[in-house]
Amino acid sequence: MSLQIGQPAPQFILISSALKSVSLADFKGRKVVIHFFPLAFTGVCTTQLCTMRDSFGYYDGLNATILGISVDSPFTLAKFKEENNYQFDLLSDFNKEVSTAYGAIYDQFVMGLKGVAKRAAFVIDEEQNIIYAEVLEDAGQLPDFKAIAEIVK
């Protein structure tokens, strides 16, 4: 069953690209914009996160935190973050538990890959409830950035 608006967000602790533990609970009292993406260094994933990078000031000004999550290792994510100058944390869901909890995981992906995160976006409110949920089946599509910006406002 997919997550619904109004439900409590599944809690998690993941390792960041800086090799530090990051918990969703750390951000209670702030809105959190979570972007799941399939794989670092791919075209659409780079576009997705660069769009958020370029909008970072807008979200920061609204007391909102951006987090990017993929099944890549924290070491891969560190290089991806460095090369693209992302100001926000990239989190490794290497064990696929968070992607699964959020309903954002492919059983089968391209080239026979299994357990790759789907492209998805969630907005969590200050009380850690879901106020926006978008899970895309087509990895070539991008989330609705305008709708995300509106819900955070």
Side-chain angles (χ1 to χ4, degrees):
M1 183 166 139
S2 62
L3 296 175
Q4 302 296 318
I5 292 172
Q7 285 183 300
Q11 293 295 309
F12 58 81
I13 299 172
L14 292 172
I15 301 299
S16 74
S17 51
L19 303 181
K20 296 183 179 174
S21 291
V22 175
S23 169
L24 180 59
D26 295 341
F27 303 104
K28 190 164 176 130
R30 289 180 64 93
K31 287 184 177 146
V32 180
V33 180
I34 300 173
H35 277 272
F36 287 90
F37 60 99
L39 297 168
F41 297 104
T42 58
V44 181
C45 294
T46 302
T47 298
Q48 178 184 6
L49 296 185
C50 284
T51 301
M52 294 309 294
R53 176 199 65 203
D54 297 345
S55 304
F56 182 79
Y58 171 80
Y59 290 97
D60 197 42
L62 293 173
N63 194 37
T65 298
I66 300 168
L67 299 173
I69 300 175
S70 82
V71 300
D72 292 298
S73 77
F75 309 104
T76 300
L77 293 175
K79 188 67 174 168
F80 188 48
K81 179 177 178 170
E82 175 189 342
E83 286 192 9
N84 291 288
N85 298 310
Y86 299 135
Q87 317 92 315
F88 47 88
D89 281 327
L90 298 183
L91 307 178
S92 173
D93 184 28
F94 195 78
N95 295 329
K96 303 163 179 58
E97 294 168 353
V98 178
S99 300
T100 300
Y102 277 77
I105 191 127
Y106 288 110
D107 293 327
Q108 291 281 343
F109 194 58
V110 298
M111 299 180 291
L113 298 175
K114 297 179 182 184
V116 173
K118 289 182 180 179
R119 191 169 321 285
F122 293 87
V123 179
I124 313 300
D125 71 11
E126 295 85 350
E127 297 303 314
Q128 309 249 291
N129 295 308
I130 296 169
I131 58 174
Y132 180 85
E134 180 181 15
V135 178
L136 300 168
E137 293 301 320
D138 180 352
Q141 294 182 329
L142 289 167
D144 187 341
F145 296 110
K146 187 175 180 181
I148 295 164
E150 280 297 311
I151 199 79
V152 172
K153 202 172 0 174

